[in-house]
Amino acid sequence: MALPALLREHGEEIEADLLRVYGVDLLDLWRGRLTPRRLLVLIRGLPPGSALGRAMGGDVALSDEVTATRMAAWQIDRKSTRLNSSHLKL
């Protein structure tokens, strides 16, 4: 997505993320202190679970912690299912 469209659709999320993650004010783009290229680099570098990620959905909507928790739960469930099915074979 091009920067103007991204800012139109998710400007508030980007503004919040820039301040929270980098301490950068989005208004610096219009003040001449932040280039469009640099802004895109910062946006692409936002961590999973950022406000922008949550707004856009997909894999970036979940933080690393949530992803790790879901993976652990899936592995436990898988092991439990295998154990239960092995007892049934006895």
Side-chain angles (χ1 to χ4, degrees):
M1 184 180 294
L3 185 58
L6 195 58
L7 289 172
R8 250 191 323 275
E9 290 184 38
H10 301 290
E12 289 182 6
E13 291 88 352
I14 292 169
E15 183 177 7
D17 283 338
L18 290 176
L19 282 172
R20 184 176 52 86
V21 175
Y22 304 114
V24 171
D25 189 345
L26 180 59
L27 289 176
D28 285 347
L29 179 65
W30 288 273
R31 293 177 184 137
R33 298 183 200 143
L34 182 66
T35 65
R37 181 202 157 280
R38 176 90 167 140
L39 177 57
L40 281 172
V41 168
L42 295 176
I43 290 170
R44 288 184 186 128
L46 288 171
S50 66
L52 179 62
R54 289 190 309 270
M56 295 183 78
D59 291 339
V60 294
L62 303 176
S63 67
D64 290 338
E65 295 84 2
V66 171
T67 301
T69 302
R70 286 185 172 185
M71 180 60 82
W74 176 80
Q75 288 173 341
I76 290 168
D77 184 57
R78 194 171 132 227
K79 287 179 184 179
S80 173
T81 302
R82 271 194 308 204
L83 286 174
N84 288 338
S85 64
S86 68
H87 289 298
L88 294 175
K89 292 178 185 176
L90 295 177

